[in-house]
Amino acid sequence: MRLRGFGTGEHLAAEADSVAVIGLGRFGSALALELMASDTDVLGMDTSEELVQGMNGRLTHVVRADSTQEETLRELSIPDFERVVVAIGSDLEASILTASLLLEFGVPQIWAKAVSDQHGAILERLGVHNVVYPEKDMGKRIAHRVRGNLQDFVELGDDFAAVRTKPPADLVGRTVAEARTRDSRGVTITAIKRPDGGWHHCTTDSVIGADDLLLVTGPTRKAERFASGR
């Protein structure tokens, strides 16, 4: 399915697997380009001519437009999109007004960027269920990496995380069964990446090498302690 036809006086036809990204700052543009890389058609929108020109030819369609104007959104067929991302961060009023219009249109999936807890609370009270905090979440991920020997950290829920880390020295040369990490450290080794290969689901017979990367899941503090070698 594709985004079809856009030009002067034309309406954009949005197909089911396309996404509209409103706001093409650092977060919005990175998100839009990642969607394009995964073969998802993207309509990008911003009020900045510079940002729009910068994304021209890189997205399926990109347009300079004011997302707080209902008629503008209708002309761009935004009510027909099943997924819309409000990536506006610098103008809270525009973010809130845009989200309100999308809710009035009945867009099934609305994702909205929040730049503060207060901003996020307003979006949630409006009825936006997918509120994201890019700066806050990235800050938390980096903080966890700084505190330990983590190469990556993803919080999966309350007090549960997945971490990518080098193996503690005392586990090198052991099999996953011998390591008994669930009993001794409260975490589970779910996958192993060898230096010369990709990721593989580990088995009880998988031997842990000094240069391997491990994907470990478990309670956040225990996962961090594992990564620090404790």
Side-chain angles (χ1 to χ4, degrees), residues 181-182 186-191 215-218:
T181 57
R182 187 175 297 180
V187 299
T188 302
I189 301 173
T190 60
L215 181 64
V216 177
T217 58

Side-chain angles (χ1 to χ4, degrees), residues 92-145:
L92 300 190
E93 182 179 359
S95 167
I96 293 165
L97 287 173
T98 300
S100 298
L101 286 171
L102 297 175
L103 288 164
E104 288 181 15
F105 293 155
V107 174
Q109 295 187 47
I110 303 169
W111 296 78
K113 170 186 175 179
V115 296
S116 67
D117 291 339
Q118 294 83 353
H119 184 197
I122 292 171
L123 291 169
E124 289 174 357
R125 282 198 292 269
L126 286 174
V128 178
H129 298 297
N130 301 306
V131 178
V132 296
Y133 300 80
E135 289 84 0
K136 182 178 179 179
D137 292 343
M138 182 55 68
K140 290 174 66 175
R141 290 181 69 176
I142 296 299
H144 284 288
R145 291 176 63 184

Side-chain angles (χ1 to χ4, degrees), residues 41-178:
D41 289 325
V42 177
L43 166 65
M45 183 192 313
D46 202 287
T47 56
S48 167
E49 181 66 27
E50 181 181 358
L51 292 176
V52 168
Q53 288 298 324
M55 299 301 288
N56 188 32
R58 305 175 71 186
L59 304 180
T60 313
H61 291 281
V62 62
V63 61
R64 181 184 180 188
D66 183 354
S67 63
T68 66
Q69 301 300 312
E70 179 177 350
E71 185 57 33
T72 297
L73 296 181
R74 291 191 182 279
E75 288 178 355
L76 293 170
S77 298
I78 296 300
D80 297 335
F81 280 79
E82 293 186 3
R83 296 171 293 175
V84 179
V85 179
V86 182
I88 302 169
S90 59
D91 188 336
L92 300 190
E93 182 179 359
S95 167
I96 293 165
L97 287 173
T98 300
S100 298
L101 286 171
L102 297 175
L103 288 164
E104 288 181 15
F105 293 155
V107 174
Q109 295 187 47
I110 303 169
W111 296 78
K113 170 186 175 179
V115 296
S116 67
D117 291 339
Q118 294 83 353
H119 184 197
I122 292 171
L123 291 169
E124 289 174 357
R125 282 198 292 269
L126 286 174
V128 178
H129 298 297
N130 301 306
V131 178
V132 296
Y133 300 80
E135 289 84 0
K136 182 178 179 179
D137 292 343
M138 182 55 68
K140 290 174 66 175
R141 290 181 69 176
I142 296 299
H144 284 288
R145 291 176 63 184
V146 169
R147 286 169 51 187
N149 186 33
L150 306 180
Q151 296 201 10
D152 202 0
F153 170 93
V154 178
E155 198 164 24
L156 302 177
D158 292 339
D159 192 35
F160 202 85
V163 301
R164 184 177 63 182
T165 181
K166 300 288 289 185
D170 63 308
L171 298 188
V172 174
R174 296 187 181 186
T175 65
V176 170
E178 292 169 341

